[in-house]
């Protein structure tokens, strides 16, 4: 049972009554105890039930004491949550990636000639998407906090679908720039929004696997997109069509996205309170089961101290750096069709040969996420994916141009890279508490992701075509930097867990009632345990 709200005074008393000692060891011990007591006292500074998490309000509305669940009840509830949330999250994330890479498919289907692209125009179409993403990422993160999460996410899905359709009407480079910028701005909501959905519905031990599942649909998108683009390209050449093949690709993908966005608006709840698929008791259980996360389900009030803490937290910068280093290689996403052509294959072949890369992504992401949760070490298994990507890049860089099959295999292995990004993204869901802090760090990481993706296409310079060897070397350096960054994240979280154990074992340590639902940050709440 947590301590009452005037427990702060009790903590102060335990500090004042600490025994004095003349010995050096005793003084050192007292210093440590005093430091721990000060850490404990800090939790009470922002612990107010009047401005706690939405979970507190939800439990008041639903009424009743803390509900107890048998393992069978919780398993049945989890299965129900999975079947109602995961399919729509997966389909939307598939479209999120597919709609981004339609540019790569259409680049070998006549787009560049049709809209008169010259010089580095195509490079900039790859980058401008992420400039829109960058500009809108922080504002949309604030809106994700303030507005109903499900409804605001659905609005952005529908709008990016309409925007993609507009690409079919583009006739010159300027129009393409405008469409790609808006597309990036609308898609900026999806990844941070999905990270919030995952953290509010799933326990820490479940979040890595669920994040891996919905993110893996990037890979499935590459498989499906390649087959669709190939079918449209070959079909229009063989039978003719009223519209050019590249326009059909944009319209088909855009209209499907709009339809799915409407379904998302109907199906996806903002939180447990307005989930149509749960009855009253199940809503209470869905909230109670995530109590162990020490996070809650959200707080709509902006907290300046949490913003400051986010900016001063070393993990913010470690995530930001990883996002940049891990995203520069994603420049391949804009150029992969052309890269495969450079290995010695035809443009139509490149559309089909790109599909196994998606399977590699899906397998590595799901396997790393599942094994990471199973063995409670996400970072270790994520690193294996990055190391596999390094091996693939070595093959692309070092094998002679005549070995087109070997270089293609290297390209496939390179696509294990997203497993590292997924691990870091899942750590934001799991290891960052305080809703303002969480949305800020999520935005911060995705700003880094945008910066990396803006830089990425620029390293694929036209003068280096068709092999783009300098770009491949830059990618290799970035991947090594990713491994070093993951090692630092692992070391730092281990250190924080050690410190937390010392504080919890120290004299005068107290907790407060419903502490996990008071919108405290992970650094304030010493009950918080970081996942590695």
């Amino acid at each position: 049972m947590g301590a009452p709200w005037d427990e702060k005074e009790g903590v102060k008393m335990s500090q004042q009554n600490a025994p004095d000692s003349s010995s050096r060891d005793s003084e050192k011990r007292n210093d440590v105890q005093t430091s721990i007591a000060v850490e404990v006292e800090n939790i009470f500074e922002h612990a107010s039930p009047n401005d706690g998490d939405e979970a507190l309000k939800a439990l008041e509305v639903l009424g009743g004491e803390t509900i107890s669940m048998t393992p069978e009840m919780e398993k049945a509830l989890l299965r129900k949550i999975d079947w109602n949330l995961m399919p729509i999250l997966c389909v939307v994330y598939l479209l999120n990636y597919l709609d981004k890479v339609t540019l790569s498919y259409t680049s070998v289907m006549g787009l560049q000639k049709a809209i008169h692209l010259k010089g580095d125009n195509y490079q900039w179409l790859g980058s401008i998407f992420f400039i829109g993403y960058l500009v809108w990422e922080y504002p949309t993160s604030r809106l994700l906090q303030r507005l109903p999460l499900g409804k605001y996410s659905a609005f952005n899905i529908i709008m990016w679908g309409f925007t993609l359709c507009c690409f079919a009407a583009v006739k010159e480079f300027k129009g393409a720039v405008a469409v790609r910028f808006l597309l990036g701005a609308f898609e900026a909501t999806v990844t941070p929004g999905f990270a919030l959905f995952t953290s509010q519905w799933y326990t820490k031990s479940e979040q890595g696997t669920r994040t891996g599942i919905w993110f893996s649909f990037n890979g499935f998108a590459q498989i499906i997109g390649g087959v669709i683009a190939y079918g449209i390209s070959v079909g229009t050449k063989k039978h003719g069509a009223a519209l050019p093949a590249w326009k059909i690709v944009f319209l088909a993908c855009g209209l499907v996205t709009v339809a799915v966005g409407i379904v998302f608006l109907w199906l996806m709840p903002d939180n447990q309170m307005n989930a149509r698929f749960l009855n009253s008791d199940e809503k209470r259980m869905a909230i109670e089961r995530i109590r162990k996360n020490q996070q809650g389900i959200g707080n709509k009030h902006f907290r300046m101290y949490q913003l400051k803490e986010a900016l001063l937290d070393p993990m913010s910068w470690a995530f930001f750096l990883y996002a940049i280093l891990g995203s520069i290689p994603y420049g391949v996403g804009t150029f992969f069709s052309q890269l495969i052509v450079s290995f010695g294959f035809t443009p139509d072949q490149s559309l089909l040969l790109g599909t196994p890369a998606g399977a590699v992504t899906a397998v590595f992401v799901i396997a790393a996420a599942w094994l990471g949760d199973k063995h409670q070490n996400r970072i270790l298994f994520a690193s294996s994916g990055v190391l596999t990507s390094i091996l693939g890049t070595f093959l692309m860089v070092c094998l002679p141009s005549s070995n087109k099959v070997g270089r293609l295999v290297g390209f496939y292995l390179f696509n294990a890279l997203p497993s590292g990004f997924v691990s870091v993204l899942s750590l934001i869901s799991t290891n960052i508490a305080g809703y303002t802090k969480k949305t800020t760090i999520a935005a911060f990481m995705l700003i880094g992701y945008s910066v990396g993706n803006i830089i990425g296409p620029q390293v694929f310079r036209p003068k280096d075509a068709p092999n783009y060897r300098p770009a491949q070397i830059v990618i290799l350096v970035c991947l090594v930097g990713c491994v070093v960054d993951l090692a630092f994240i692992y070391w730092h979280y281990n250190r924080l867990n050690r410190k937390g154990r010392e504080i919890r074992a120290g004299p005068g340590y107290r907790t407060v009632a419903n502490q996990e639902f008071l919108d405290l940050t992970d650094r304030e709440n010493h009950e918080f345990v970081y996942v590695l």
Side-chain angles (χ1 to χ4, degrees), residues 259-305:
V260 170
I262 294 170
V263 174
F264 189 95
L265 178 63
W266 172 254
L267 292 181
M268 199 68 192
D270 302 312
N271 55 43
Q272 288 87 336
M273 284 295 290
N274 65 355
R276 295 187 184 92
F277 60 89
L278 298 179
N279 60 38
S280 181
D281 285 343
E282 287 171 336
K283 290 176 182 178
R284 283 178 59 206
M285 289 192 291
I287 294 171
E288 285 293 345
R289 70 183 297 273
I290 59 143
R291 188 184 285 271
K292 66 187 80 169
N293 290 354
Q294 299 289 326
Q295 292 185 45
I297 62 174
N299 184 305
K300 296 189 180 300
H301 299 147
F302 176 80
R303 293 185 158 192
M304 179 57 72
Y305 86 92

Side-chain angles (χ1 to χ4, degrees), residues 25 105 161 212 216 219 286 386 490:
D25 289 344
Y105 297 132
S216 72
V386 181
Y490 185 90

Side-chain angles (χ1 to χ4, degrees), residues 102-126 167 170-173 176 244-247 250 334-339 341 347 460 462 465 468:
T102 46
L103 184 67
S104 180
Y105 297 132
T106 56
S107 70
V108 295
M109 295 171 69
L111 169 72
Q112 297 193 63
K113 184 177 179 180
I115 63 174
H116 316 295
L117 298 184
K118 301 174 184 177
D120 62 358
N121 284 173
Y122 182 75
Q123 282 174 279
W124 278 107
L125 287 184
F167 215 121
V170 166
K171 296 180 180 177
E172 59 180 0
F173 175 63
W246 65 270
K247 290 190 177 185
F250 285 123
T334 307
F335 285 85
F336 72 81
S337 293
Q338 296 177 53
L339 193 63
V341 169
F460 285 81
Y468 300 107

